[in-house]
Amino acid sequence: MTIITQPPVVPHFVQAETTKENLDWADLDAVDLSKAKTHEGRKGLVKQVHDAMKNDGFLFVTNHSVTPQQMSRMFDLSNYAVDNVSDEEKQNYVGNMRENGTYRGYKPRKFWHIAGGVRDQIEQYNMNFREIKDGTHPEPLRPFLSEIDAFSDQIHSDIINTILRLIAMSLELDEDYFIQMHDRSANAETFLRFVKYFPHPEEEENKSGGVWLKGHTDFMTLTLLFSQPVASLQIMTKDGQWKWVKHVENGVLVNIGEAIEFLTGGYYKPTIHRVRQPPLDQQNKTRVGLLYFCSAHDDVVLRPIAESPVVQKGGDSESRLLDDKFPTAGEYGKARVMAYGGTQALKQDVQKGIDEEVVAGVLLRHYN
């Protein structure tokens, strides 16, 4: 007799209600991906994506292929990866970011330094997109690896590739210019992240000014943040104001990273963003996150694209590169992961709340 083992039941994570507080919301554009199924349809979206990325560095996508049921299920699994794996087993899968320079496995709480001796209260599990189904993962997650891998493949094909095509078209390149250098055929720092945020003690909130993750830009090409109701993400506008990001039901927030800045010679620039304590009516609610970070293959050199007339005409002469050597995506990503959130001495501007450091020959700023 063959015994069929059923996978365990994953508890449903109940999302909080949206905040009722009158926050200063960012006015972000929303791109309807149902219009991007054909080349002609994509041509009609190019200006919208160009303007959103040029002005805000962020946009929402709607009417993508991920159903509300799928998104809810992935939030369930994100919470499950934190709550249903024992602390003992998690220790076997803690990623050694300081030495390996890659996001794989668990990042425990209190790993990153924020400010004034306060460390983060964020727990996450990272799964490289080439190793979800075939990699080594905690036993409670193993029954769901095929499902998670299929979801990763779906969002890469449907959302990442569509945005990459639209960005390429905005640069007057062949629409598939970026596709192969971001696919699964070679190593890259591309990964799915399950994450859960825990509140800080009041004393720590006061010391850090309520900041849970200080202002930064992502080093990758694109980031997908699956929208959820607990308000906590803020972006910095061009005039230096922090604006809250509003929840969009079944929406996916997309932002460009530093790799796009380097590849476009500064024509597109990533926007500084941070995570902070939620508004008062949500401070007793649990914030669970689901993200997907996409990087170019490790051997891609992050130099301005010579084939793009837009880059050649419109690049920014004020480069953050401090020498003439362009790093590869792998070199730069590794250096960024190893350095982020450490307690190394930084050049500080206390009045402006800015820390500066140089990583892989690039000047970086972190905003407290």
Side-chain angles (χ1 to χ4, degrees), residues 67-104:
T67 67
Q69 293 76 22
Q70 278 182 294
M71 195 175 292
S72 176
R73 169 69 169 176
M74 285 298 135
F75 275 106
D76 292 347
L77 286 168
S78 182
N79 188 60
Y80 187 83
V82 175
D83 285 2
N84 291 75
V85 178
S86 69
D87 291 340
E88 182 180 10
E89 185 163 11
K90 285 176 184 175
Q91 287 301 313
N92 297 326
Y93 297 93
V94 169
N96 196 342
M97 289 175 278
R98 293 280 180 255
E99 292 186 9
N100 298 333
T102 184
Y103 286 119
R104 282 172 169 82

Side-chain angles (χ1 to χ4, degrees), residues 99-343:
E99 292 186 9
N100 298 333
T102 184
Y103 286 119
R104 282 172 169 82
Y106 281 99
K107 184 210 74 69
R109 286 183 262 176
K110 299 186 177 182
F111 184 80
W112 291 325
H113 178 256
I114 301 172
V118 176
R119 306 189 77 85
D120 76 279
Q121 291 288 350
I122 303 168
E123 187 171 332
Q124 58 187 221
Y125 187 66
N126 301 296
M127 310 173 77
N128 186 276
F129 75 149
R130 299 182 77 206
E131 302 170 358
I132 295 176
K133 191 164 57 175
D134 301 322
T136 303
H137 302 282
E139 191 277 333
L141 294 180
R142 293 172 195 166
F144 312 107
L145 295 179
S146 292
E147 179 183 359
I148 297 168
D149 184 67
F151 176 77
S152 171
D153 187 62
Q154 176 185 350
I155 60 177
H156 195 108
S157 299
D158 176 46
I159 302 177
I160 291 291
N161 284 351
T162 300
I163 298 299
L164 288 176
R165 288 189 170 101
L166 291 167
I167 291 174
M169 294 168 76
S170 78
L171 298 172
E172 299 179 20
L173 296 165
D174 181 273
E175 70 169 352
D176 287 341
Y177 183 88
F178 294 114
I179 301 300
Q180 186 174 356
M181 70 175 74
H182 289 88
D183 67 15
R184 290 196 187 200
S185 65
N187 289 328
E189 191 67 7
T190 295
F191 56 95
L192 185 71
R193 172 175 290 173
F194 294 149
V195 58
K196 190 167 186 174
Y197 301 78
F198 295 85
H200 290 255
E202 184 177 356
E203 181 184 356
E204 290 189 357
E205 295 284 14
N206 293 334
K207 280 185 178 180
S208 66
V211 174
W212 286 6
L213 195 62
K214 59 188 175 182
H216 65 283
T217 52
D218 298 340
F219 68 82
M220 306 82 171
T221 302
L222 294 173
T223 301
L224 305 183
L225 174 68
F226 293 80
S227 190
Q228 52 77 49
V230 179
S232 194
L233 178 65
Q234 293 182 321
I235 67 172
M236 183 182 281
T237 61
K238 290 185 182 298
D239 61 357
Q241 301 299 310
W242 289 109
K243 301 276 188 178
W244 295 82
V245 175
K246 197 168 189 176
H247 172 52
V248 172
E249 192 67 32
N250 207 53
V252 181
L253 187 66
V254 183
N255 65 278
I256 54 174
E258 293 159 8
I260 284 289
E261 177 183 356
F262 302 148
L263 290 168
T264 65
Y267 182 78
Y268 287 124
K269 290 182 180 294
T271 294
I272 298 155
H273 53 285
R274 69 181 182 183
V275 179
R276 63 161 297 119
Q277 185 182 32
L280 190 61
D281 64 348
Q282 291 186 323
Q283 287 179 10
N284 64 340
K285 306 299 181 184
T286 301
R287 186 175 193 259
V288 169
L290 176 67
L291 300 97
Y292 187 79
F293 298 89
C294 179
S295 296
H297 294 167
D298 285 350
D299 61 357
V300 172
V301 179
L302 300 177
R303 65 163 59 93
I305 302 167
E307 301 94 320
S308 168
V310 175
V311 170
Q312 295 308 310
K313 292 177 186 176
D316 189 343
S317 60
E318 294 185 8
S319 173
R320 289 194 289 152
L321 288 166
L322 301 184
D323 55 40
D324 294 329
K325 181 182 182 298
F326 297 103
T328 64
E331 290 168 344
Y332 186 61
K334 183 175 182 178
R336 286 282 272 111
V337 173
M338 291 172 70
Y340 185 77
T343 55

